[in-house]
Amino acid sequence: MEATALAHPNVALIKYWGKRDVAMNLPAVGSLSLTLGGLRTQTMVRFDATLQSDQLLLNGKPDDRALSRVSRCLDLLRARAGVSSKARVETSNDFPTGAGLASSASGYAALVKAAAAALQLDADADFLSEVARIGSGSAPRSLFGGIVLLDAGIGTDKTTCRTVAQPAEWPLQVVVAITSRAAKEVGSTGGMESSRDTSPYYGAWVVTHPADLAAGLDAVRKHDFTRLADLSEASCLKMHAVAMTSQPPLLYWSGVTVECMRVVQRLRREGLPVFYTIDAGPQLKAVCLPDAVTRVQAELQQVPGVLDARVCTLGAGAWVEQ
Ligand code: DP6
């Protein structure tokens, strides 16, 4: 009744921001992401009939804030397996937690994978990705490797997720410029609710998103880096425009983030195959073709305030440790 699983975080190129159903955590829009091979979460789940309640240890410390979402995922898996025992969950990240590096995505992907293995559940990928989504909307993407599409399933009460290109098919690389290790003040969940309720641009974001997603997918299929670069930067800026125009405003960038954006813009003008994307935090991710990675890393490392610039290749979907 015990298993350990590992998962990489992911970064969306065509972003998810907004929910159409909060209780089911159904997204208002789909997304297209890269699974980041260089960073990882490791999660151990042990079901134990002597426990009175579920327990969660995050990076060695009890974490009661995330416990109710974790228990909700565990409940769905327990119901499927016909097991009632509570569980102890021990999870740790080898990168900053809750700081815009998608630790919730890798966290819930590893949780679901480990718990299903501990319960010896013979569940298909669709069921596991539904459970992971209840934990975090971006988590199903970390169950899959390479370049991943999450279909929002508008008009249904489901989402579907799948790999659209394996790492070897188009070996993009990502330089993650870490500009702060602090946890963000407003998490994605609260931010999205605020945007839906208050941003005058939220409606336009949702209406224009399907065309962005279709175009992003087409660029991936054709390995058209320049087009993917334009679409990804535009999706990132649109998402942040919605966040910034929420009340109270959500400005996830720091001055260092903006400096990094300027560096990537300059490198692009010089003809380097690179573009940026930024999630709900101050870190910048520079996506590039393998030839550009050494220069991109060196340039970002030199920006004052960049603490670290880590290179990630595309990674595999979540897996159980044998
Ligand atoms: C900005 O998946 O963290 O990273 O579903 O509320 O857990 P919840 O949100 P989460 O949101 C990710 C938002 C984003 C963009 C993206 O990854 O697509």
Side-chain angles (χ1 to χ4, degrees), residues 1 4 46 120 127 137 145 152 161 169 188 213 266 283 290 314:
M1 296 291 269
T4 295
R46 184 172 58 248
Q120 291 174 351
F127 176 69
C161 202
E169 284 174 54
S188 309
L213 190 58
R266 172 170 55 77
Q283 333 293 359
L314 296 189

Side-chain angles (χ1 to χ4, degrees), residues 16 21 73 89 95 140 161 166 179 189 213 236 244 255 291 315 322:
Y16 149 51
D21 183 316
C73 293
V89 178
F95 58 95
C161 202
Q166 293 292 349
T179 65
T189 307
L213 190 58
C236 167
M244 284 177 206
D291 288 355
Q322 297 301 332

Side-chain angles (χ1 to χ4, degrees), residues 10-12 14-17 19 25 31 69 102 104-105 133 135-139 141 184 188-190 192 239 278-280:
N10 67 74
V11 58
I14 308 296
K15 302 285 187 198
Y16 149 51
W17 192 256
K19 299 172 195 288
N25 205 26
S31 48
R69 273 208 213 188
S104 66
R133 192 203 66 235
S136 182
S138 51
R141 301 187 316 227
K184 60 196 164 201
S188 309
T189 307
M192 287 183 202
M239 183 211 109
I278 304 151
D279 290 315

Side-chain angles (χ1 to χ4, degrees), residues 17 19 186-195 250 252:
W17 192 256
K19 299 172 195 288
V186 181
S188 309
T189 307
M192 287 183 202
E193 282 312 281
S194 168
S195 290
L250 297 165
Y252 287 111

Side-chain angles (χ1 to χ4, degrees), residues 71-127:
S71 287
R72 225 180 129 199
C73 293
L74 293 173
D75 284 345
L76 292 167
L77 295 163
R78 280 189 280 247
R80 177 66 74 107
V83 167
S84 59
S85 300
K86 301 297 181 191
R88 180 171 176 84
V89 178
E90 294 179 13
T91 184
S92 59
N93 300 318
D94 69 356
F95 58 95
T97 300
L101 287 170
S103 54
S104 66
S106 50
Y108 284 101
L111 171 80
V112 164
K113 205 77 186 171
L119 292 167
Q120 291 174 351
L121 207 56
D122 187 19
D124 61 22
D126 282 345
F127 176 69

